[in-house]
Amino acid sequence: MTTSPARTAVVPVAEIFELRRSVLRPGLPAETAVFAEDAAPGTFHIAAYDERGAVRACVSFFPEALPGEAGDAAYRFRGMASDPAVRGLGYGVAVLRAGLDQATARGAGLAWCNGRTSARGFYEHQGFTVTGEEFVVESVGPHYLFTIKLPG
């Protein structure tokens, strides 16, 4: 994988919605890509842009404790998507790292997600740990819970 010089930014959900929908909910109605957390207090959305300014990857973070855990303030993320045309070029890493940095700046000590089983290698390469057993998200497929401790 090469490291992308991708520019990242915290953006309104409208900026990332089409990429999220097309990658994560292809062929499904647009409303299936709307998350209840999109407009919740503390939620932020990250986009990564190519040199022409096109959104190539995205992710949404929101404050939510890890299930069954009390302690560290935590951010959950979901809706992470990379344009298939640029996979492996660092755009996904760029939005994830920017989001983790932003969560840390907002006081989180932990970040987590329910990530697709097919992305396990990606998350582990970024320092995440699998927590628990594989489970199935209805109409989406097999997932694991991934966690990472944040600095600070």
Side-chain angles (χ1 to χ4, degrees), residues 64-75 107-111 149:
E64 183 176 317
L66 181 65
E69 295 285 324
D72 281 339
Y75 264 79
L110 177 81
K149 285 289 214 180

Side-chain angles (χ1 to χ4, degrees), residues 15-16 20 32 35 39 43 55 64 66 68 71 77 87 108 111 121 131 142:
E15 181 100 5
I16 63 164
R20 179 201 286 176
T32 65
F35 302 151
T43 298
V55 175
E64 183 176 317
L66 181 65
F77 63 95
R87 289 221 179 109
T131 303

Side-chain angles (χ1 to χ4, degrees), residues 1 3 6 33 36 47 65 72 77 109 132 135:
M1 180 181 85
T3 301
D72 281 339
F77 63 95
F135 59 96

Side-chain angles (χ1 to χ4, degrees), residues 41-151:
T43 298
F44 61 91
H45 311 280
I46 304 281
Y49 302 91
D50 68 14
E51 64 283 350
R52 293 180 324 275
V55 175
R56 294 303 196 152
C58 63
V59 66
S60 298
F61 279 76
F62 50 95
E64 183 176 317
L66 181 65
E69 295 285 324
D72 281 339
Y75 264 79
R76 178 181 175 188
F77 63 95
R78 65 186 298 200
M80 186 163 167
S82 293
D83 182 332
V86 297
R87 289 221 179 109
L89 298 180
Y91 291 96
V93 171
V95 293
L96 179 59
R97 288 286 152 206
L100 295 173
D101 289 347
Q102 185 70 219
T104 300
R106 293 174 183 224
L110 177 81
W112 67 280
C113 74
N114 292 327
R116 293 172 192 245
T117 298
S118 61
R120 181 176 181 166
F122 171 82
Y123 287 118
E124 288 178 333
H125 187 73
Q126 298 306 313
F128 284 79
T129 301
V130 170
T131 303
E133 300 296 319
E134 184 180 60
F135 59 96
V136 174
V137 174
E138 190 66 35
S139 78
V140 179
H143 282 63
Y144 284 107
L145 188 140
F146 295 97
T147 61
I148 190 169
K149 285 289 214 180
L150 299 175

